[in-house]
Amino acid sequence: MSQFESTLKSLTLSTGKTVHYYSLPDLEKQLGASFAKLPFSIKSSMLEDLEHGKRLELNDLSGAVVRLGRELGIATPVHAVIHAALQPFVMGPPSR
């Protein structure tokens, strides 16, 4: 069982909710095909908000992943770093 499948199994057992997923090769294929169709200049809405000095939905997105992972004992290192790095910008640009 891959790390990805093990994590999904842990989430399913911890929450009592079934987590549906593609096998990793299928997921990679599908994501690759989807991303290939996107224009090179595309940006996430959070990046757009950050660039325009708007409030970020950080705590509702990456913050929620970090909190759920903490509650379930599942490491979420990428979201933890994103959450920590962008926290000063949650309410817009930091005061100078």
Side-chain angles (χ1 to χ4, degrees), residues 45-89:
S45 60
M46 193 179 309
L47 177 56
E48 293 278 351
D49 291 343
L50 181 65
E51 289 177 339
H52 292 97
K54 295 181 180 178
R55 295 174 64 181
L56 305 180
E57 295 176 311
L58 181 68
N59 293 323
D60 296 324
L61 299 173
S62 286
V65 173
V66 172
R67 285 189 303 278
L68 181 60
R70 209 175 280 137
E71 288 172 21
L72 300 175
I74 299 170
T76 57
V78 172
H79 283 277
V81 168
I82 291 168
H83 188 256
L86 293 179
Q87 194 62 44
F89 302 93

Side-chain angles (χ1 to χ4, degrees), residues 2-57:
S2 73
Q3 178 66 33
F4 178 74
E5 292 168 324
S6 177
T7 299
L8 291 177
K9 183 177 179 183
S10 295
L11 280 171
T12 298
L13 294 173
S14 299
T15 63
K17 297 177 183 175
T18 302
V19 178
H20 298 283
Y21 63 94
Y22 295 96
S23 69
L24 196 51
D26 290 342
L27 180 62
E28 288 174 324
K29 228 183 273 183
Q30 185 167 350
L31 286 175
S34 296
F35 286 137
K37 295 176 187 175
L38 296 173
F40 183 73
S41 60
I42 195 165
K43 297 179 182 180
S44 70
S45 60
M46 193 179 309
L47 177 56
E48 293 278 351
D49 291 343
L50 181 65
E51 289 177 339
H52 292 97
K54 295 181 180 178
R55 295 174 64 181
L56 305 180
E57 295 176 311

